[in-house]
Amino acid sequence: MKDTINITQVKESRIGSVDFDNIPFGKILSDHMFIADFKDGEWQDLRIVPVENLSLNPANMALHYGQSIFEGMKASINSEGVPLLFRPEMHAKRMNASASRMCMPTIPEEMFIRAVTEIVKLEKNWIPTKVGSALYIRPFMFAMDEFIGVAPSATFRFIILTLPVGPYYNKPVKLLADERFVRAAKGGVGEAKTAGNYAASMLPMKMARENGYDQILWLDARYRKFLQEVGTMNIFFVIDGKVVTPLTDGAILKGITRDSIITLLGDMGYEVDIRPITIDELIDAYDAGMLQEVFGSGTAAVISNVSTIKYKDKVIELDESNFVLSQMIKEKINLLRNGTIEDPYGWVVPIEESVSVS
Ligand code: COI
């Protein structure tokens, strides 16, 4: 069968060398990775193998033209030791939306979820149990054709890595809204989770860091006024008790954590205003004493509070004692994700032992 996942296990696990009480984000890979190749118009050779270096031809098109997309997901483990995935089908759908935009083949949702399930099942012992930690799952796909010319590749590789991770941000973040840079314009690739979007954030992020800020707060490409997202997460504002988040208008990533927060807040009785919002409105709200909280959301970042926003000469300083709603929603998401509270949404998908490799 073409869609059988063949498994080759490591001879000796590296897990003993990991300090699970002190896990840096993004640096520790688990023992195995999933790989599939797209050739002759279909996905084939599905396999789980020990993590090892890839061998790529220097004319590999992904290296030259960036036909490369990824997802970020997390697995937790409940008190009975059952691994739990969070909204895997949403990630499969978003991966495919990115693939379509970047002229890459889609991955059957069933194959995507089965691959994630099998790798997490095999790497179950790598799932950290500490609150705020998780097994980060990084599915990604890139062009494999060898050609120095701009054209869609005909062959691709799909890989899933898993990494035990702690929090992405350890403290509230400081943001710089810098109108010299833009992340995406409507009609561009801002909605796709493609590598180049993150490459584009690196110079502004470096410059923000040199000035004592952690990240860029992106403004829209046309007016340089409308707030879009942060380099690593979507953004929410609490103004006079109401939650506002920018409308995803084609230039903003459709965050799955963002979507979960909107649903949870709505069910908790909070009004969430999904609409365009400008930096001027934010400053006015701050000056009127009505800006209570700003927080980012993302799979990696979960919910990360913002302590400071700078725009031109204006500095907005947020008072940590007001970070009430963000803390409440963060706790709720963490409890849902690790199975401590009931999930009425069908978001949390347990990986039962009975799921077999087929
Ligand atoms: C995620 O939140 O999973 C992302 O992909 C963002 C990345 C910057 C870590």
Side-chain angles (χ1 to χ4, degrees):
M1 230 169 95
K2 273 215 167 114
D3 60 356
T4 298
I5 301 177
N6 290 311
I7 300 183
T8 310
Q9 297 211 33
V10 289
K11 291 201 172 57
E12 203 177 325
S13 173
R14 286 179 282 103
I15 199 164
S17 64
V18 179
D19 174 5
F20 276 84
D21 287 327
N22 185 16
I23 321 172
F25 191 99
K27 294 198 168 161
I28 299 165
L29 299 182
S30 69
D31 288 323
H32 302 92
M33 60 183 175
F34 170 89
I35 306 185
D37 288 311
F38 187 84
K39 283 183 197 152
D40 305 322
E42 63 178 351
W43 287 106
Q44 45 189 283
D45 197 9
L46 281 54
R47 57 209 188 269
I48 290 176
V49 294
V51 169
E52 60 182 6
N53 290 347
L54 302 174
S55 167
L56 291 179
N57 186 284
N60 174 287
M61 292 181 66
L63 300 178
H64 297 267
Y65 308 116
Q67 223 184 356
S68 171
I69 59 170
F70 69 96
E71 269 302 309
M73 312 170 54
K74 273 182 180 164
S76 317
I77 194 152
N78 71 11
S79 52
E80 278 96 52
V82 177
L84 307 170
L85 298 176
F86 191 71
R87 310 193 74 179
E89 70 308 316
M90 282 284 278
H91 286 281
K93 286 187 197 322
R94 192 173 64 179
M95 181 93 179
N96 283 336
S98 300
S100 299
R101 178 63 184 86
M102 302 306 290
C103 207
M104 300 166 82
T106 55
I107 299 165
E109 277 178 38
E110 178 278 328
M111 175 183 139
F112 180 97
I113 293 172
R114 189 158 50 93
V116 169
T117 300
E118 292 304 334
I119 187 79
V120 171
K121 206 165 68 163
L122 188 65
E123 304 298 56
K124 181 176 159 178
N125 294 340
W126 287 84
I127 307 176
T129 50
K130 201 172 160 186
V131 177
S133 299
L135 188 72
Y136 187 77
I137 305 165
R138 170 50 61 88
F140 62 110
M141 191 214 300
F142 55 93
M144 281 297 281
D145 276 12
E146 296 153 12
F147 174 52
I148 302 291
V150 181
S153 181
T155 58
F156 293 87
R157 181 159 287 180
F158 171 40
I159 301 183
I160 305 175
L161 298 173
T162 63
L163 306 84
V165 295
Y168 196 81
Y169 294 114
N170 283 308
K171 56 179 178 42
V173 291
K174 297 172 78 177
L175 304 179
L176 182 65
D178 186 335
E179 60 185 0
R180 288 173 300 171
F181 298 106
V182 293
R183 174 183 177 273
K186 286 182 199 175
V189 296
E191 220 172 67
K193 222 164 157 53
T194 185
N197 282 335
Y198 295 80
S201 74
M202 286 177 194
L203 177 64
M205 186 175 79
K206 178 170 171 272
M207 291 170 72
R209 286 200 177 147
E210 283 163 2
N211 286 290
Y213 291 82
D214 301 300
Q215 269 293 346
I216 179 112
L217 173 57
W218 294 109
L219 300 172
D220 76 288
R222 184 164 180 197
Y223 302 101
R224 314 273 165 125
K225 283 277 173 207
F226 290 95
L227 299 160
Q228 289 191 321
E229 59 175 276
V230 180
T232 47
M233 48 194 186
N234 292 114
I235 189 101
F236 286 81
F237 309 98
V238 184
I239 301 173
D240 198 20
K242 277 194 195 149
V243 186
V244 182
T245 192
L247 182 73
T248 51
D249 57 355
I252 297 177
L253 186 81
K254 287 188 172 162
I256 293 167
T257 310
R258 172 186 178 275
D259 179 80
S260 308
I261 291 170
I262 292 168
T263 302
L264 289 172
L265 282 174
D267 289 356
M268 287 158 75
Y270 289 92
E271 200 175 314
V272 183
D273 228 350
I274 305 167
R275 62 171 172 84
I277 174 169
T278 63
I279 185 75
D280 297 326
E281 181 184 340
L282 199 70
I283 291 170
D284 288 348
Y286 176 70
D287 286 344
M290 292 194 305
L291 181 63
Q292 293 146 332
E293 299 180 62
V294 178
F295 57 93
S297 69
T299 298
V302 190
I303 287 172
S304 295
N305 289 102
V306 173
S307 61
T308 312
I309 299 175
K310 183 169 193 280
Y311 173 67
K312 296 185 178 169
D313 293 333
K314 183 77 185 177
V315 179
I316 294 176
E317 298 277 8
L318 292 143
D319 180 354
E320 228 171 288
S321 65
N322 287 333
F323 297 171
V324 179
L325 200 59
S326 48
Q327 289 311 305
M328 199 164 75
I329 201 82
K330 181 176 180 172
E331 193 176 320
K332 183 127 187 165
I333 288 213
N334 279 335
L335 293 175
L336 258 178
R337 283 211 305 213
N338 66 20
T340 308
I341 58 172
E342 206 194 318
D343 165 27
Y345 307 102
W347 291 344
V348 179
V349 178
I351 296 182
E352 306 294 354
E353 280 307 316
S354 57
V355 175
S356 62
V357 181
S358 60

